[in-house]
Amino acid sequence: MNDSLCRPASLFGEISLMRRNSTSAPMSVLNHNFVARASRVLQRLGFLSCLLTVALISLLALVMISCGDGTGASAGTPGLTFSNASLKGQYAFSFVGTDTGGPAMLAGTFLSDGNGNINSGVEDSNAISGILTNEVFNGTYSIGPDGRGSATITNSRGLSHLQFVIISVNRALIIQFDTFASGTGSINQQAPTDFNVSAISGAYVINFYGFSAVGSSYVATGILTADGRGALLGVIDENDGDFKPNLPLAGTYTLAPNGRGTAILATSSATSHFSFYVISRSVLTFVELDSLPFVSGVARAQQGAPFAISSFSGDYAFGAGGQTVSGPFASAGRLTADGRGTILAGVRDDNDTVNVTRNLAFTGAYTVSPQGRGTGTLTSPTTSYTLLFYMISQTEAVLMSSDPALVSIGEMSGQQSAPFGDSSVHGRFGVMDSILTGGLEQDVVSQITIDGAGTGHGLQDLNAGLLPTPPTVVTATFSISANGRVMATMSGARGQSDFALYLASSSRAYLVGLNPGVAERGLVEKQY
């Protein structure tokens, strides 16, 4: 848990402190041209809207980074107790947030000693105020029996604070908890035996999000193949309001003994520079080190190729976030694929801050290539979306809108344990969500115990527009349909809010807020 704290803290500590005290950063790391360009872009696009778009999308990547879904036998057991010893070892983190200067993205690594100390922290950050690489940090943390914790991170610019909830000894969800910065992130235990170039080999599905070279909201997905010797080849699809499919991609990568790597990726129109951190040979987390584009993301090892149309078959839950012409967009839903190119029994809930659409039924059609690249159309009585997806496996995929009017990316997971009911969900859960309301970003992390009869209770930490609040009691009521759609009402630090959740399993769910004027996206994971 201390690890999770460390990560977010370091991530946000770096970002927030960098923004607050940007004059203390070496001039060599400040790109003044970027500041000027970004200021013009953000004014044109709507500053807060763009920031939330990144926050909403980044939550999806946190699900994809997860090394497990909490289905272990110990999940939710009455005797489950956490402490400072719950996280010990080396962890990687990724984080996206905002401070008083604008958006910021970070990734890094640290060591946790299991006694409340964070050491040997190194991170890379990209923010409006500049790009910093190999920044050193350390810190302290404290974890309670319910898995809720706090951390203080120290770097050359001062202190920052985090709140978090432990999912397991391998993973935690975190938020920044300062008056000068807020954001969301995760930490994940690393596999040091994979800290070598030869371990990074084979095909990876990538999921990138952020801002394009002209400052508009940007999402991308594709296949990146590593040869285990430092060379990369692939194909990428991009959408920044101008959909660009099947762009050839080539590059190189290196990897240091601490699990930090560097990568150069080039298309015919642009060359981008990244740092990345190895969680395992199957999961890598990226942050770009260029002024613009300004993106971060995840790469997941692909399994099961070659694929066919029959590879996409069965029940799936999904979550997505991004930007429409109306503003930030959040969506969650479920569908059934028949393995022959037809989508059946689809239903979803959408919120773009102007329109809230509940329980919208849809059907559709799809194709799948041998490389796992799929295309599809989702059709309802009121809307029609075109999309593409890349299969990570037969039960997981990255999905992205190919509609220029909807810059959105998400994840799809095969549903397990259906049909569902109120008794399907019980035990202790971590919840993290990001919200835009009243022109301000709010980030929330909660620990909730659910009784299996439709009610839950716990504690919640909220950073409401750079105003951290004391821990607040949160209560919830749920009604779970057989298809995994959950109607929920929660009362906590923000008052009463309505949500739709879609169960990927009894241990994990995608969350979308249903409150007018509030775009909200989140995830729920069972503690174990």
Side-chain angles (χ1 to χ4, degrees):
M1 197 61 245
N2 41 19
D3 296 315
S4 63
L5 292 177
C6 305
R7 298 178 117 198
S10 65
L11 291 175
F12 244 86
E14 297 281 9
I15 290 179
S16 57
L17 291 169
M18 176 171 59
R19 294 186 181 286
R20 186 175 59 172
N21 301 320
S22 60
T23 55
S24 66
M27 290 301 293
S28 61
V29 302
L30 297 179
N31 187 322
H32 297 290
N33 182 52
F34 171 48
V35 175
R37 291 168 63 194
S39 297
R40 292 194 298 270
V41 167
L42 292 173
Q43 288 174 3
R44 183 172 72 249
L45 294 175
F47 178 73
L48 290 168
S49 178
C50 290
L51 298 187
L52 184 68
T53 296
V54 176
L56 293 173
I57 295 172
S58 68
L59 287 168
L60 301 171
L62 300 184
V63 179
M64 299 181 69
I65 291 174
S66 177
C67 299
D69 65 358
T71 56
S74 63
T77 56
L80 182 64
T81 301
F82 297 99
S83 69
N84 286 354
S86 297
L87 291 187
K88 182 178 181 180
Q90 185 167 356
Y91 294 81
F93 63 84
S94 59
F95 191 79
V96 173
T98 65
D99 61 16
T100 55
M105 301 176 178
L106 305 99
T109 183
F110 64 88
L111 293 175
S112 174
D113 68 358
N115 293 311
N117 299 299
I118 296 165
N119 301 300
S120 303
V122 175
E123 70 182 2
D124 299 284
S125 62
N126 194 337
I128 295 294
S129 55
I131 299 166
L132 297 176
T133 61
N134 275 312
E135 281 289 293
V136 175
F137 66 89
N138 55 43
T140 60
Y141 66 91
S142 177
I143 300 170
D146 63 354
R148 293 174 58 255
S150 61
T152 299
I153 300 301
T154 303
N155 61 24
S156 61
R157 288 170 298 283
L159 303 178
S160 60
H161 304 87
L162 304 171
Q163 294 294 124
F164 58 90
V165 61
I166 293 178
I167 301 302
S168 72
V169 296
N170 300 315
R171 177 168 168 81
L173 306 176
I174 58 174
I175 65 169
Q176 175 86 4
F177 210 62
D178 285 305
T179 58
F180 51 84
S182 187
T184 57
S186 71
I187 64 166
N188 295 274
Q189 192 166 45
Q190 293 176 276
T193 54
D194 292 341
F195 293 172
N196 57 84
V197 167
S198 62
I200 310 306
S201 179
Y204 291 80
V205 175
I206 56 176
N207 165 24
F208 288 161
Y209 47 87
F211 300 98
S212 73
V214 296
S216 57
S217 297
Y218 169 92
V219 296
T221 185
I223 297 288
L224 191 63
T225 300
D227 70 353
R229 298 185 298 274
L232 299 166
L233 286 174
V235 62
I236 191 169
D237 295 87
E238 300 178 332
N239 190 353
D240 61 357
D242 177 16
F243 176 60
K244 295 176 280 292
N246 286 314
L247 300 177
L249 190 67
T252 60
Y253 66 100
T254 66
L255 187 58
N258 67 347
R260 179 186 184 271
T262 61
I264 300 174
L265 301 178
T267 65
S268 59
S269 60
T271 298
S272 300
H273 303 80
F274 295 85
S275 68
F276 67 89
Y277 289 84
V278 175
I279 296 173
S280 70
R281 65 179 61 210
S282 298
V283 187
L284 316 174
T285 181
F286 285 76
V287 61
E288 187 166 5
L289 302 179
D290 301 303
S291 57
L292 282 175
F294 175 28
V295 305
S296 60
V298 180
R300 289 278 305 275
Q302 192 181 56
Q303 304 174 28
F307 295 92
I309 199 164
S310 59
S311 301
F312 185 43
S313 178
D315 299 328
Y316 294 82
F318 63 85
Q323 181 86 14
T324 71
V325 293
S326 300
F329 170 80
S331 178
R334 58 90 55 206
L335 59 83
T336 299
D338 71 353
R340 298 185 298 274
T342 300
I343 294 173
L344 307 167
V347 62
R348 70 176 192 267
D349 292 76
D350 299 338
N351 190 339
D352 65 4
T353 72
V354 175
N355 302 297
V356 179
T357 305
R358 300 185 181 217
N359 206 23
L360 179 66
F362 65 87
T363 57
Y366 67 92
T367 66
V368 180
S369 76
Q371 294 74 36
R373 183 182 187 271
T375 61
T377 302
L378 305 183
T379 303
S380 70
T382 58
T383 60
S384 180
Y385 290 133
T386 58
L387 58 85
L388 62 88
F389 56 92
Y390 280 87
M391 301 196 73
I392 300 169
S393 67
Q394 292 194 8
T395 58
E396 291 183 287
V398 174
L399 58 89
M400 186 182 91
S401 170
S402 54
D403 186 341
L406 175 60
V407 180
S408 175
I409 199 165
E411 188 210 31
M412 188 159 47
S413 298
Q415 283 187 308
Q416 304 173 28
S417 305
F420 299 98
D422 287 354
S423 62
S424 300
V425 179
H426 58 87
R428 291 164 53 176
F429 291 79
V431 183
M432 184 170 67
D433 54 324
S434 192
I435 310 118
L436 180 65
T437 179
L440 296 172
E441 178 181 347
Q442 299 186 7
D443 297 303
V444 185
V445 65
S446 310
Q447 191 280 331
I448 298 177
T449 299
I450 299 174
D451 64 1
T455 63
H457 68 278
L459 288 172
Q460 182 177 84
D461 294 292
L462 165 69
N463 191 343
L466 305 184
L467 293 174
T469 64
T472 303
V473 172
V474 58
T475 60
T477 58
F478 305 90
S479 177
I480 303 177
S481 301
N483 66 355
R485 182 177 186 267
V486 183
M487 285 301 300
T489 298
M490 298 186 194
S491 297
R494 296 173 48 234
Q496 182 171 300
S497 301
D498 295 327
F499 303 90
L501 298 91
Y502 285 85
L503 298 175
S505 68
S506 60
S507 302
R508 192 177 72 179
Y510 303 101
L511 176 154
V512 60
L514 299 179
N515 304 291
V518 179
E520 183 168 4
R521 176 80 184 91
L523 58 94
V524 180
E525 296 183 7
K526 193 169 189 177
Q527 295 176 294
Y528 65 103

